[in-house]
Amino acid sequence: MGNKLKNLGLVGLGMVAGVAASVQFSAMAQKGGGVQAVDAPLPLDELRQLADVYGLIKSDYVEKVADKKLLSDAIAGMVSSLDPHSVYLDEKDFAEMRESVQGKFVGIGVEVAMEDGYVKIVSPIEDTPAFRAGIKAGDLITRVDNVPVKGLSLDEAISRMRGEPHSKVMLTIARRGADTPWVVPVEREEIRVASVKAKLVEPGYAWLRISQFQEETVDELAGKVKELYAQNPNIKGLVLDLRNDPGGLLPSAIGVSAAFLPQNDAIVSTRGQLAESNATFYGRRDFYARPGTDPLAKLPAALKTVPMVVLVNTGSASASEIVAGALQDYKRAIVMGSQTFGKGSVQTLRQLTENTAVKLTTARYYTPKGRSIQALGIVPDLKVDETPEGDGLNALRVREADLDRHLSNEGETKTIGKNGALSAKRDELEEEQRALAILKSGKAPEFGGKDDFQLAQAINHFKGLPVKLAKADPLDDAPAPAKLPGTEQKLPEVKGSPKK
């Protein structure tokens, strides 16, 4: 299937939701920067070749090329050749990464997707410039500063809508039912995006959604949980919604898991080449909170025992998979939905200069029982499609195993699943026609809304009512995740200080 059909998902200005973000903003083991010395001798012949090519470009290329560009591109190419998540971050990329994990960005405040070549407003974020300008869900942006959107990628369109605080962008808006498009001037400002939403779906049943694991996620979760229990101290079932959550910061994933598990339980372990990459992370304050604070200290005791369902889909990646895997291993929650993305590798940020860095894959993640997440993901206890008719747009999303140069799972075989290499058994033309039909007639569900089919099945599960399970797919038989030897009996102790 073509890339256009695989790169589906909702994208917000300044933050990416869904599969795309799991590639760009992975769960990171935060660590002090600094480039370490190389133990092995440098390959002098190969380095001379590199210098020779550099000299040829400088002397023979059709036009002059700046030294900085050549060297930056050489670094970027070397790092990106390793795997999809190892990247060189130049000044622009480094700044955007910091914005993402902080949950803030400069823009107009909308969640968007592509439709028929235009930027479609999925939702304006409340109390933002777009919201105040009267932009509504379903509106189409046809031009940005009089530049046609058609022909631009979604990332290019988003880039044009971002800018400096208090600068203006002119948007041409088309709305269903309106005779002609109109131009709306919108002033950009810093947007802060809450990563946690919560509400009582109906008396006794709560919905708690995490859209991305950011610096403030654990604090936000604690606040939302207290609000829920203030409304109803006798909650009978809680749905933790991690669908389309691309991941984020490792300490936040540990804190979210710790909120529902006994204190000091192991949440996740890592294994890599460096001694510091071999560690186990526990549900203790020093692993998820800033020194001297503990946002989980005064949560209702009932949170540790309330029946839980964790909703996941193919867009659930990285930190989302850590949380789902931990709650599943301890049988603390039923995991429901579709098999997750399979982003089970650790990216460590190594700062090169004040404004540039390399994000390098340094280890694999393992669940408390030693299951490797990488390229396999978390398989739900109950497989439930996105809609009553099927898995909708979720069925078309790419997974980690589909990515070129993806890091393998120790137990990975050629039978990867319906999105893997052997899915070529299906007729390519028939698959693309089916995908186009879904794109034309379907729409992404509103998570937490009245038509949220998977949420309704979670509530049915709590009530002991029948749950409509997904139909079995003969190409969806993934191999059992590899287990780290010995970890089912005893988890290894922490090596070194916790990464924060």
Side-chain angles (χ1 to χ4, degrees):
M1 184 183 301
N3 289 336
K4 288 184 180 179
L5 298 180
K6 284 190 173 182
N7 292 331
L8 296 173
L10 305 184
V11 183
L13 296 185
M15 67 173 186
V16 186
V19 173
S22 70
V23 173
Q24 295 178 9
F25 306 115
S26 330
M28 293 178 294
Q30 290 180 292
K31 183 180 184 299
V35 181
Q36 299 181 357
V38 178
D39 294 331
L42 294 174
L44 296 181
D45 289 343
E46 287 77 8
L47 288 173
R48 287 192 188 98
Q49 280 190 335
L50 179 63
D52 289 344
V53 172
Y54 177 85
L56 281 172
I57 294 173
K58 292 294 290 182
S59 62
D60 294 9
Y61 188 62
V62 64
E63 57 187 25
K64 290 184 178 180
V65 184
D67 292 337
K68 184 176 180 180
K69 172 178 171 52
L70 281 176
L71 293 172
S72 293
D73 288 352
I75 295 170
M78 178 168 53
V79 176
S80 65
S81 69
L82 301 172
D83 66 76
H85 309 298
S86 292
V87 293
Y88 168 66
L89 302 172
D90 61 17
E91 294 181 9
K92 179 175 177 291
D93 294 332
F94 191 43
E96 288 183 355
M97 186 210 69
R98 285 186 291 193
E99 284 182 350
S100 174
V101 299
Q102 290 169 354
K104 62 182 181 181
F105 60 94
V106 175
I108 63 172
V110 289
E111 295 178 6
V112 296
M114 266 308 199
E115 183 174 287
D116 297 327
Y118 298 110
V119 175
K120 181 180 180 179
I121 305 296
V122 175
S123 175
I125 300 170
E126 192 171 346
D127 196 29
T128 62
F131 184 86
R132 293 191 292 269
I135 294 174
K136 297 181 178 180
D139 287 350
L140 295 179
I141 299 175
T142 60
R143 289 174 177 260
V144 179
D145 286 333
N146 209 33
V147 175
V149 167
K150 208 149 194 175
L152 298 179
S153 69
L154 187 57
D155 285 344
E156 288 170 334
I158 287 171
S159 179
R160 288 181 178 275
M161 285 185 273
R162 299 182 66 189
E164 295 298 317
H166 309 301
S167 62
K168 286 190 177 181
V169 59
M170 307 298 288
L171 303 179
T172 303
I173 304 291
R175 179 174 295 169
R176 191 181 303 276
D179 294 333
T180 57
W182 69 95
V183 177
V184 180
V186 184
E187 184 175 303
R188 302 177 179 99
E189 64 181 44
E190 184 175 273
I191 310 295
R192 290 186 174 270
V193 181
S195 62
V196 183
K197 297 179 180 179
K199 67 178 181 180
L200 291 174
V201 179
E202 56 180 83
Y205 300 102
W207 173 76
L208 189 68
R209 170 159 175 76
I210 301 176
S211 58
Q212 189 174 1
F213 288 84
Q214 301 169 172
E215 288 180 352
E216 303 300 324
T217 295
V218 179
D219 296 85
E220 290 178 17
L221 177 133
K224 293 295 185 182
V225 164
K226 290 174 184 176
E227 289 177 10
L228 288 171
Y229 276 90
Q231 294 176 59
N232 187 339
N234 300 309
I235 293 175
K236 295 181 288 185
L238 186 147
V239 178
L240 178 62
D241 191 347
L242 302 179
R243 290 171 295 177
N244 281 5
D245 183 329
L249 296 177
L250 176 59
S252 295
I254 295 169
V256 169
S257 303
F260 305 103
L261 292 170
Q263 190 176 19
N264 297 329
D265 272 3
I267 305 300
V268 66
S269 61
T270 60
R271 294 292 176 271
Q273 184 178 184
L274 295 173
E276 67 186 43
S277 297
N278 300 302
T280 300
F281 300 85
Y282 295 87
R284 298 200 301 261
R285 180 187 59 78
D286 51 332
F287 283 91
Y288 62 78
R290 291 181 287 269
T293 66
D294 187 358
L296 305 182
K298 297 182 179 179
L299 289 181
L303 195 65
K304 300 288 188 182
T305 57
V306 62
M308 286 184 66
V309 167
V310 179
L311 290 179
V312 295
N313 66 2
T314 307
S316 306
S318 194
S320 300
E321 296 172 293
I322 289 172
V323 174
L327 296 177
Q328 186 181 54
D329 272 9
Y330 288 116
K331 302 188 185 301
R332 176 64 187 88
I334 292 293
V335 177
M336 181 183 293
S338 306
Q339 187 171 343
T340 61
F341 182 76
K343 175 24 182 95
S345 59
V346 182
Q347 277 66 54
T348 301
L349 200 65
R350 304 291 194 192
Q351 207 158 336
L352 303 177
T353 68
E354 184 180 356
N355 298 311
T356 64
V358 168
K359 192 171 68 172
L360 197 65
T361 298
T362 56
R364 290 180 175 89
Y365 282 124
Y366 296 83
T367 70
K369 287 190 174 181
R371 295 182 293 152
S372 174
I373 296 169
Q374 177 58 24
L376 291 176
I378 302 299
V379 177
D381 302 299
L382 297 175
K383 291 188 178 182
V384 174
D385 285 336
E386 193 172 79
T387 71
E389 292 76 31
D391 217 14
L393 299 180
N394 184 63
L396 307 177
R397 293 190 177 101
V398 70
R399 295 183 65 243
E400 173 82 8
D402 299 308
L403 301 178
D404 291 337
R405 304 181 311 279
H406 73 271
L407 185 68
S408 66
N409 185 293
E410 293 88 339
E412 187 175 345
T413 70
K414 290 184 179 180
T415 306
I416 295 172
K418 67 182 176 185
N419 281 324
L422 297 186
S423 62
K425 291 179 181 178
R426 289 182 173 173
D427 181 79
E428 190 75 9
L429 179 60
E430 179 183 326
E431 184 74 3
E432 291 201 7
Q433 288 175 337
R434 185 179 72 86
L436 289 170
I438 293 174
L439 284 172
K440 188 173 181 180
S441 62
K443 63 177 183 179
E446 179 189 348
F447 294 148
K450 60 182 178 62
D451 297 323
D452 188 336
F453 176 72
Q454 290 174 320
L455 176 57
Q457 301 312 298
I459 301 301
N460 284 348
H461 173 76
F462 289 137
K463 295 178 177 179
L465 299 174
V467 172
K468 184 175 180 180
L469 300 178
K471 293 180 181 178
D473 189 327
L475 291 177
D476 200 24
D477 295 328
K483 294 183 178 181
L484 192 66
T487 52
E488 285 212 50
Q489 285 72 39
K490 183 180 180 181
L491 286 157
E493 295 300 318
V494 178
K495 295 183 179 181
S497 59
K499 299 172 184 177
K500 296 186 276 190

